[in-house]
Amino acid sequence: MNIGEAIREAEKEDGWITRISWLREGPPLRIKPTDEEEGCLIQWMGHRLAHRWQPQAEDLVAEDWILY
């Protein structure tokens, strides 16, 4: 699914999203979509990395987004 679809699904379940291609590369980066001022929450291997995820254009047009 695209990122918009994945975000809508994650919001229904208070969940996280990731990309299938990231799962193939090792422990996945996962993103918690939020409307908070600080931006989306980012985790890798269970550790909080940062707020304000800065996607690349490839991430925004990708069709391999899934719920995590």
Side-chain angles (χ1 to χ4, degrees):
M1 70 182 87
N2 66 45
I3 193 168
E5 295 165 334
I7 289 169
R8 282 189 288 280
E9 291 297 316
E11 287 175 335
K12 289 178 191 175
E13 301 178 20
D14 194 31
W16 297 76
I17 61 174
T18 192
R19 292 188 55 198
I20 292 171
S21 60
W22 294 349
L23 292 172
R24 293 183 191 131
E25 296 171 6
L29 177 76
R30 67 182 193 161
I31 300 165
K32 173 86 167 177
T34 73
D35 287 323
E36 295 175 13
E37 185 176 315
E38 294 177 330
C40 296
L41 178 63
I42 303 161
Q43 278 191 335
W44 183 70
M45 296 182 64
H47 300 284
R48 182 178 177 165
L49 292 180
H51 278 280
R52 298 197 187 267
W53 173 59
Q54 295 178 327
Q56 295 181 339
E58 175 188 348
D59 298 319
L60 297 175
V61 298
E63 295 288 334
D64 69 337
W65 286 96
I66 59 170
L67 295 179
Y68 184 85

